[in-house]
């Protein structure tokens, strides 16, 4: 990918945007050279935030960090780990499934609202984003939010920009909340449940007071592709506990006891547990070097398995479940079947499907983002127009 | 002089005032009997909310019973450019629900049905007029709760919570409204009904839900909400820590959080606040301390013990003088009852205005001391009771509202305190909202460009500026309507 | 809250008292949440905060009451749930009492309304007249539905519905005199015979006399007593209420002079709330202020008094009792645990119905004057009580007994009837069919 602009400062970025806006040209915004999202953007020029790089401030005692948007996630995580802290929303590393080699940036993570398994208990990326600075489509530098945990001063543009995929503004700096790294982690593995049984079991577990931080179900078709095949035989319903060492083992024991009525139970200790959840986070089974269509679906947790069951009657799919069943990673054998999937989601009470990976031909033919209801789509278009009146940022993306 | 003379409302639209009678007649046609208040006597109690420093009578008050009726009223108001002020339970502490002369109030107090409780997906869908505590009470027998717990949770509605992105004591661990809201049904200024989100953990498209949460009724009126429920912890226990100075208590909070210990709640009360709360709740707060922290830990017995041990160790380093664990559920309930009634209980001794700035924890002690100095300079008294764990301060400036000079001094002291919070790296409001109270301080925290962008986003929802228009944004510097 | 009264207005001691009450309110809105009418109607004008504001506006402007204000004040049950909730300590009771007097003095009600109120005020406080009226009601019952279709006469129809089908004869328990005790005398109390209660449920005071007698407490039914004034007090008929209060004060203090007095026992909590407020009601009457305060201090609900007597713990029974706390008991007098502890101690399993803070809709004459709201509250109350699956309902107020009994088949008794039975009295007739 050719990069046309690599501003080194916020002012420079604003100048570039103003110049581009003046020419009514279109600009594709990228992070550290990753494509990051499957949709193709046809633009006149590419702007990378790669050189807007560096941690601006880190205050471990207040659990906040500010960083320029092009700062690699790896750099941030390294600094946090040193102080036994973390990004609690567990952003995934998409390089495996997308077959890319770039460096994910913190701006990209928030622009795409990337969240992993702990989203179930700790919230999404957007829930941890406290403040932003961005350049709008007219080249004005705007700030919103701040660096304190509670802040309701003015409209929450922070949430709006999170997950807007660079269509409302160019993030230049992000301030976010970090949390203590849990000293211990353990995973209770409940085996031999089918998808429907697993959904029921996960719902019951989440109603128990054991503070399960993540709950996933790995059907037999994918189970062997985790931990190098070391998970016990049969479909695995996996439940993660985190916290102080002593309490994690006590809770794991109680949880295992509670689960044992449903099927065989095993407990993964710290190391294996952490590895397993990293693999779930990064969708390891589908990091298969192919371009087969991969969907990330959000739906009510108890409906995930119903969706997959319905699809199986119509087409070839493989799937596993995170977020108690509410996030479905769905790999298609052939056609992306966007219309079918979206029809079923609607019939099951709503949610949305986003195409994460597909061949160029499929991408061209498939709406990557879930189409919105007409009134909401019209509203979203008006909002976009208010941030980027000339439509210069990432044209074609997000409606 | 009425106190309300001190703050400006938007000039009423002549075209609206002149049509008052016709508008009331039309609204009566749109609503069932008993859902419209237009008699001057009946309008008076709606002239303010829990922020009593300012008042303004509305043109009429509508109390619709369904989303369709809300839509009908909004469509009508949208068509004729009639300002609309949404109202939940009227518990706003920043005047968010104070009407204006040409406004139709849309009150959601008749929409109080719980529509769906889905325990497997841990969601509740309720009408906007359902109170915050009603949600938790509805699911308590099954072992669940709704986490955000503003102190007014007994009365405040979920619609109002969404409007202000309300917080509460237990938000230290569980987050505020925006972190626990999954979906809404809402009506836009022109009567369009839209639905955002649902039972899934995230939604498609722009995070409009995130934008609406905390938008203070400027983007539309939420009529239904789907919120996340959580499983109740195994146990929970508030513990009282008494200190001989506010500074020590503040430093203790900063060190607890700094050590990576995040209890469910850390609440702070200074001596005046302790005596006010004790007078109402008789919770057994220690009366011989200068500052008190209520620290709530939860989990299994072992977990609570472990967390408490670490906190006690830190508290000792900061000279804690009293440590008292609650011994029973009744005692725990009283401790929280006292804390959560603090603002109202202040009425026993004086009128008050409540500040809501948030500051970084490292600034807590400094800001507490400065606050005391500011208030003293104006010859007033202050009681401090707030969410210390997340730096969300609530100095209650005590004054006599019947004395205009005292009221003016209180207002000025409040402004000075809020500027102090912003200058310390914090913000004007952590959970109560800007409303009308802090509107004219917005430029202290934001540049005009920042506000222009917010107002542009607002205009995408309400191009005519009819939704709660006198609030949030300074009256000068607004785009021409 | 800001007030604007002139010094001339404040010279009126009633205004001065109300101004002090208003100054405490900070308009926080907590009271709305626990107000039965706000919860039912969803209009702030039908909440304590709304009414406080209406009253304030009316008093500040020295204005006669008008229809809008009267409508919303009339809908207030005076259940005082708001006073339990209010963190600021606003004395809503005294404020709304003041407003009712102001209404009565300055507002001319429509003819039908006046008629109904005049009938209630002329009949209910007088047991003889009330008994006669009930007998007539038995004859009039077939006309109830007809009356209810004529709006101004609707309350009369409701009255017929509420009237019991069997009317008891005057009870010996109401005859003035001193009731003998068995064994050693441990105390001496006076009892309020009351007005409506001895007609509707003479069993309550009979049980009280039996139980106290067994416990060695001498009970005096004073000469010249009667209605405590609560019923007319809530209708804003100040003079009638104060006259009743003075008469009762005289009657009880005479008993005290004659042989000492440990307490004035009240078996209807609605009356208890008013009697405990005599001190305030008569504070401006130099001849009675001090005496009234004495009586208020002596006034005790029967359960409050029994709790001080250390009754023995009894063996566990199989019966489950839903305890309905009357508003006047829990909010008016703040007696919340004593009745339940007594019942538990006597061996009953006691359950608390949900939404216990909400009124059953009885509220003195409310169920007659505001039948629609009253019906809704009754249905809600019965739903909550029946959810406890209890065998018996116990409560401490005759109004609630009459109201709830028309909505459920579960027998409802006064707490003292159950206690009398448990401690050796006869099984209440109402429980014949219960295991």
């Amino acid at each position: 990918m050719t990069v046309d602009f690599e501003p080194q400062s916020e002012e420079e970025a604003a100048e570039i945007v103003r110049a581009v806006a003046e020419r009514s040209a279109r600009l594709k915004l990228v992070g550290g050279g990753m494509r990051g999202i499957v949709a193709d953007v046809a633009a006149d020029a590419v702007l990378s935030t790669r050189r807007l790089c560096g941690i601006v401030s880190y205050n471990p005692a207040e659990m906040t960090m500010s960083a320029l948007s092009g700062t690699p996630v790896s750099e941030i995580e390294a600094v946090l780990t040193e102080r036994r802290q973390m990004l609690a929303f567990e952003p995934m590393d998409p390089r495996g499934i997308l077959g890319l080699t770039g460096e994910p940036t913190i701006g990209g993570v928030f622009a795409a609202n990337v969240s992993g398994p702990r989203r179930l208990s700790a919230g999404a990326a957007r829930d941890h984003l406290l403040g932003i600075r961005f350049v709008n489509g007219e080249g004005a530098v705007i700030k919103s939010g701040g660096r304190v945990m509670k802040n309701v001063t003015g409209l929450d543009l922070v949430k709006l920009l999170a997950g807007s995929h660079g269509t409302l503004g160019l993030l230049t700096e992000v301030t976010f909340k970090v949390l203590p790294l849990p000293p211990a982690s353990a995973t209770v593995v409940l085996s031999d449940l089918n998808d429907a049984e697993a959904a029921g079991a996960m719902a019951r577990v989440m109603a128990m007071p054991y503070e399960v931080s993540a709950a996933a179900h790995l059907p037999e078709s994918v189970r062997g592709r985790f931990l190098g095949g070391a998970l016990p035989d049969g479909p695995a319903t996996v439940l993660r506990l985190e916290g102080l060492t002593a309490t994690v083992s006590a809770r794991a024991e109680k949880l295992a006891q509670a689960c044992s009525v449903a099927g065989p139970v095993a407990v993964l200790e710290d190391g294996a547990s952490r590895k397993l959840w990293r693999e779930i986070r990064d969708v390891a089974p589908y990091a298969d070097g192919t371009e087969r269509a991969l969907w990330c679906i959000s739906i009510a947790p108890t409906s995930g398995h119903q969706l997959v069951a319905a699809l199986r009657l119509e087409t070839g799919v493989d799937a596993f479940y995170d977020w108690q069943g509410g996030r479905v990673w769905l790999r298609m054998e052939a056609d992306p079947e966007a219309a079918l999937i979206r029809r079923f989601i609607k019939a099951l009470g709503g949610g949305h499907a986003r195409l994460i990976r597909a061949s160029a031909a499929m991408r061209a033919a498939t709406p990557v983002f879930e189409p919105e209801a007409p009134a909401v789509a019209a509203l979203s278009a008006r909002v976009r127009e208010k941030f980027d009146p000339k439509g210069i940022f990432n044209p074609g993306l997000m409606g | 002089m009425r106190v309300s003379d001190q703050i400006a409302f938007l000039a009423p639209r002549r075209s609206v005032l002149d049509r008052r009678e016709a508008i009331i007649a039309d609204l009566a046609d749109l609503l069932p009997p008993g859902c419209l208040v237009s008699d001057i006597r009946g309008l008076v109690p709606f002239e303010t909310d829990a922020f009593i420093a300012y008042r303004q009578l509305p043109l009429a008050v509508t109390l619709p019973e369904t989303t369709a009726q809300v839509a009908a009223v909004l469509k009508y108001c949208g068509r004729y450019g009639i300002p609309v002020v949404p109202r939940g339970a009227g518990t706003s502490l920043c005047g968010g629900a104070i009407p204006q002369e040409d406004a139709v109030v849309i009150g959601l107090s008749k929409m109080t049905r719980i529509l769906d409780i889905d325990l497997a997906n841990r969601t509740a869908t309720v009408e906007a007029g359902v109170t915050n505590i009603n949600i938790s009470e509805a699911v308590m027998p099954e072992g669940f709760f709704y986490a955000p717990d503003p102190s007014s949770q007994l009365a405040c509605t979920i619609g109002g919570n969404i409007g202000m992105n309300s917080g509460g004591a237990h938000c230290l661990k569980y987050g505020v409204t925006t972190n626990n809201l999954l979906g809404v049904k809402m009506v836009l200024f022109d009567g369009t009904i839209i639905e955002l989100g649902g039972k899934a953990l995230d939604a498609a498209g722009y995070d409009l839900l995130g934008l609406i949460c905390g938008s203070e009724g400027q983007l539309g009126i939420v009529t239904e909400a789907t919120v996340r429920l959580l499983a109740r912890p195994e146990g929970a226990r508030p513990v009282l820590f008494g200190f001989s100075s506010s500074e020590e208590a503040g430093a203790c909070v900063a060190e607890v959080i700094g050590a990576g210990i995040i209890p469910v709640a850390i609440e702070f009360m200074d001596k005046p606040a302790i005596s006010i709360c004790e007078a109402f709740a008789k919770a057994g707060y220690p009366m011989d301390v200068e500052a008190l922290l209520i620290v709530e830990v939860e989990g299994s017995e072992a977990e609570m013990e472990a967390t408490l041990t670490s906190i006690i160790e830190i508290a000792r380093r900061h000279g804690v003088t009293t440590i008292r664990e609650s011994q029973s559920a009744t005692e725990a309930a009283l401790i929280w009852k006292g804390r959560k009634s603090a603002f109202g209980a202040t009425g026993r001794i004086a009128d008050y205005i409540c500040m809501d700035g948030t500051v970084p924890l490292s600034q807590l002690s400094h800001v507490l001391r400065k606050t005391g100095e500011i208030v003293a300079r104006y010859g007033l008294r202050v009681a401090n009771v707030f969410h210390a764990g997340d730096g969300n301060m609530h100095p209650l400036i005590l004054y006599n509202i019947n004395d205009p000079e005292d009221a003016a001094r209180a207002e000025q002291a409040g402004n000075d305190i809020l500027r102090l919070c912003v200058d310390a790296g914090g913000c004007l409001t952590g959970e109560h909202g800007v409303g009308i109270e802090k509107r004219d301080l917005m430029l202290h925290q934001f540049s005009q460009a920042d506000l222009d962008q917010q107002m542009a986003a607002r205009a995408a929802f309400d191009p005519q500026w009819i939704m709660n228009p006198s609030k949030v944004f300074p009256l000068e510097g607004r785009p021409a309507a | 809250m800001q007030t604007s009264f002139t010094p001339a207005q404040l010279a009126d001691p009633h205004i001065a008292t109300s101004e002090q009450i208003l100054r405490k309110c900070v308009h926080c809105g907590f009271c709305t949440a626990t107000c039965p009418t706000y919860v039912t109607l969803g209009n702030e004008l039908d909440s304590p905060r709304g009414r406080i504001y209406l009253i304030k506006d009316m008093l500040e402007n020295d204005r006669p009451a008008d229809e809008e204000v009267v409508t919303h004040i009339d809908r207030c049950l005076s259940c005082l749930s708001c006073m339990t909730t209010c963190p600021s300590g606003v004395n809503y009771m005294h404020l709304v009492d003041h407003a009712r007097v102001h209404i009565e003095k300055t507002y001319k009600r429509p003819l039908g309304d006046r008629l109904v109120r005049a009938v209630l005020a002329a009949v209910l406080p007088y047991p003889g007249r009330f008994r006669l009226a009930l007998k007539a009601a038995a004859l009039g019952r077939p006309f109830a539905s007809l009356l209810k279709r004529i709006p101004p006469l609707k309350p009369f129809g409701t009255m017929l519905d509420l009237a019991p089908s069997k009317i008891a004869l005057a009870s010996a328990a109401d005859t003035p005199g001193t009731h003998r005790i068995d064994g050693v005398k441990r105390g001496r109390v006076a009892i309020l015979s009351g007005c409506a209660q001895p007609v509707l449920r003479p069993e309550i005071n009979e049980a009280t006399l039996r139980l106290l007698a067994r416990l060695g407490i001498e009970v005096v039914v004073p000469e010249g007593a009667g209605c405590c004034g609560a019923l007319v007090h809530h209708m804003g008929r100040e003079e009638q209420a104060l006259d009743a209060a003075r008469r009762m004060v005289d009657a009880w203090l005479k008993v005290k002079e004659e042989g000492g007095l440990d307490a004035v026992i009240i078996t209807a909590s609605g009356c208890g709330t008013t009697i405990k407020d005599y001190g305030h009601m008569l504070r401006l009457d130099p001849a009675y202020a001090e005496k009234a305060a004495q009586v208020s201090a002596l006034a005790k609900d029967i359960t409050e008094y029994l709790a001080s007597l250390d009754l023995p713990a009894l063996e566990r029974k199989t019966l489950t009792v839903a305890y309905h706390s009357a508003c006047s008991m829990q909010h008016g007098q703040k007696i919340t645990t004593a009745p339940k502890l007594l019942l538990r101690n006597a061996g009953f399993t006691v359950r608390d119905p949900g939404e216990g803070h909400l009124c059953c809709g009885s509220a003195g004459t409310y169920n007659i004057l505001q039948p629609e709201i009253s019906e809704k509250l009754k249905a809600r109350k019965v739903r909550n009580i029946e959810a406890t699956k209890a065998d018996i309902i116990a409560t401490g107020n005759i109004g609630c007994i009459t109201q709830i009994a028309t909505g459920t088949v579960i027998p409802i008794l006064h707490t003292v009837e159950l206690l009398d039975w448990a401690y050796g009295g006869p099984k209440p007739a109402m429980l014949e069919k219960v295991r």
Side-chain angles (χ1 to χ4, degrees), chain C residues 371-417:
Chain C
E372 285 92 359
I373 301 171
S374 174
E375 274 302 311
K376 283 187 185 151
L377 289 172
K378 179 170 79 183
R380 188 165 179 158
K381 181 57 68 185
V382 166
R383 209 161 51 236
N384 278 314
I385 288 176
E386 290 184 344
T388 65
K389 305 225 173 3
D391 305 304
I392 307 173
I393 307 163
T395 188
N397 192 39
I398 181 65
C400 311
I401 292 178
T402 317
Q403 171 85 346
I404 295 170
T406 60
T408 180
V409 296
I410 305 176
I412 177 163
L413 293 97
H414 192 288
T415 309
V416 80
E417 293 180 81

Side-chain angles (χ1 to χ4, degrees), chain B residues 1-3 34 37 39 41-42 44-50 52 55 63 87-91 109-110 131 151-152 154-155 280 337 340-341 343-345 347-348 350-352 400-402, chain C residues 1-4 19 23-34 38-39 41-45 49-51 53-54 56-57 63-64 66 68-69 72 83-89 355:
Chain B
M1 183 182 71
R2 278 170 77 95
V3 184
V37 179
D39 178 284
R41 301 268 177 275
V44 175
F46 292 94
E47 69 179 0
T48 188
D49 49 26
I52 47 175
R55 303 193 292 252
L63 302 169
R87 184 179 180 100
T91 55
S109 52
K110 285 181 189 273
T131 61
S151 293
S152 59
L154 175 70
F280 170 59
K337 183 183 175 188
K340 291 191 173 183
S341 306
F343 299 172
R348 290 166 181 266
D351 301 296
Y352 68 87
N400 175 2
I401 199 172
N402 275 0
Chain C
M1 196 154 70
Q2 191 175 15
T3 53
S4 52
E19 201 258 353
R23 288 288 286 123
K24 278 197 171 180
C25 175
V26 290
H27 218 245
C28 71
F30 280 27
C31 55
T32 60
T34 56
Y38 182 76
V39 169
L41 302 170
N43 183 344
E44 182 154 343
L45 300 177
R49 188 171 75 170
R51 293 186 189 108
Y53 226 91
L54 288 170
K56 170 173 118 79
D57 191 49
R63 208 174 42 221
D66 53 43
E68 179 80 3
V69 174
H72 299 292
M83 285 183 66
T84 299
T85 304
C86 178
S88 332
E355 300 188 315

